[in-house]
Amino acid sequence: MIRRDIAGRGICDPETLDAMRTVPREEFVPVNLRSSAYYDRPLPIGYGQTISQPYIVAFMTEILNLQPASRVLEVGTGSGYQAAVLAEIAGEVFTIEIVEPLGVSAQTRLGSLGYTNVQTRIGDGYYGWPDQSPFDTIIVTAAASHIPPPLIEQLKPGGRMIIPVGSVMQVQHLLLVQKDLQGKVTQRSIMPVRFVPLTRGSGRRR
Ligand code: SAH
């Protein structure tokens, strides 16, 4: 899969490729779908959610330009697969999931696989994780109608964020948002994508 679908489609950052080779995707999919774990496809993980397609996971990881000291915020833990890939490269990963049973099982799974540099939390990631901010990089793995202002606030000057924006009915675009050292924010559209929607739980901070 790595040779054909990841490197073969243009991912060339050695650290991203190593991380994709190291993280056992079969551990992140339901037992009955394990034989499909190494097809380059999203797969259902319950509660109407999916584990992203490996190529997209690799693409989003590469574009973040992670460093060993990077502190990363992920919104949308899901299975925890993307968090594990990030944790192979970055120093610390903070990941938020709104569906409690998914967040709890991702936490258990990441712990049993030895990812001590990932912290998980249940809540509405729209508001980010103020206590741990600012972050060098932010990755959102569910599609939002707009870039959540709290996430822009929690991005360090010089940092970058990757986020799919658009509704389920429309084409969504993967946006790369950059904050320069003066705090000026720019964004560019990278490619059309399809993600599950970013939902807003109770509307209050959790
Ligand atoms: N990164 C995941 C795939 C995520 S699918 C993986 O590697 O498996 C998107 C996830 O975002 C779903 O689990 C969904 O429940 C979660 N989500 C949706 N809205 C959210 C919100 N407001 N805050 C946090 N998580 C959210």
Side-chain angles (χ1 to χ4, degrees):
M1 179 187 82
I2 303 293
R3 204 178 326 117
R4 189 189 54 217
D5 301 315
I6 310 295
R9 287 183 63 193
I11 304 298
C12 54
D13 170 45
E15 305 213 311
T16 300
L17 291 172
D18 273 355
M20 295 296 296
R21 281 190 201 100
T22 306
V23 180
R25 191 169 185 253
E26 77 273 10
E27 299 289 342
F28 294 82
V29 304
V31 174
N32 62 323
L33 293 176
R34 280 196 176 165
S35 60
S36 305
Y38 296 100
Y39 291 120
D40 189 28
R41 296 205 292 250
L43 293 170
I45 55 171
Y47 305 91
Q49 306 304 328
T50 56
I51 175 172
S52 308
Q53 177 190 349
Y55 170 72
I56 295 292
V57 171
F59 184 91
M60 291 173 82
T61 303
E62 176 174 69
I63 210 166
L64 288 175
N65 196 16
L66 298 171
Q67 305 301 316
S70 298
R71 300 175 80 252
V72 186
L73 173 68
E74 180 192 31
V75 175
T77 314
S79 66
Y81 178 65
Q82 173 79 72
V85 171
L86 298 167
E88 289 286 338
I89 308 174
E92 279 181 285
V93 177
F94 299 87
T95 180
I96 309 178
E97 171 58 52
I98 203 165
V99 177
E100 186 163 5
L102 285 177
V104 169
S105 61
Q107 180 178 32
T108 308
R109 182 177 295 126
L110 289 162
S112 65
L113 291 170
Y115 288 100
T116 51
N117 60 338
V118 182
Q119 287 193 45
T120 56
R121 173 175 163 178
I122 309 299
D124 186 349
Y126 182 92
Y127 299 104
W129 193 325
D131 309 352
Q132 292 292 350
S133 74
F135 300 97
D136 300 291
T137 57
I138 299 180
I139 172 171
V140 182
T141 64
S145 61
H146 59 275
I147 304 170
L151 298 186
I152 293 182
E153 248 166 63
Q154 292 172 34
L155 189 62
K156 260 189 206 166
R160 33 174 79 185
M161 162 162 46
I162 188 91
I163 176 171
V165 171
S167 79
V168 237
M169 309 306 286
Q170 302 165 331
V171 182
Q172 302 162 2
H173 289 279
L174 200 56
L175 302 186
L176 178 65
V177 181
Q178 290 181 273
K179 190 187 259 190
D180 72 13
L181 293 174
Q182 284 69 46
K184 183 169 165 271
V185 176
T186 52
Q187 66 181 64
R188 76 187 155 92
S189 174
I190 305 288
M191 66 170 165
V193 282
R194 207 150 101 194
F195 278 85
V196 296
L198 186 79
T199 53
R200 305 289 301 283
S202 55
R204 65 185 161 82
R205 286 167 193 250
R206 288 201 279 180

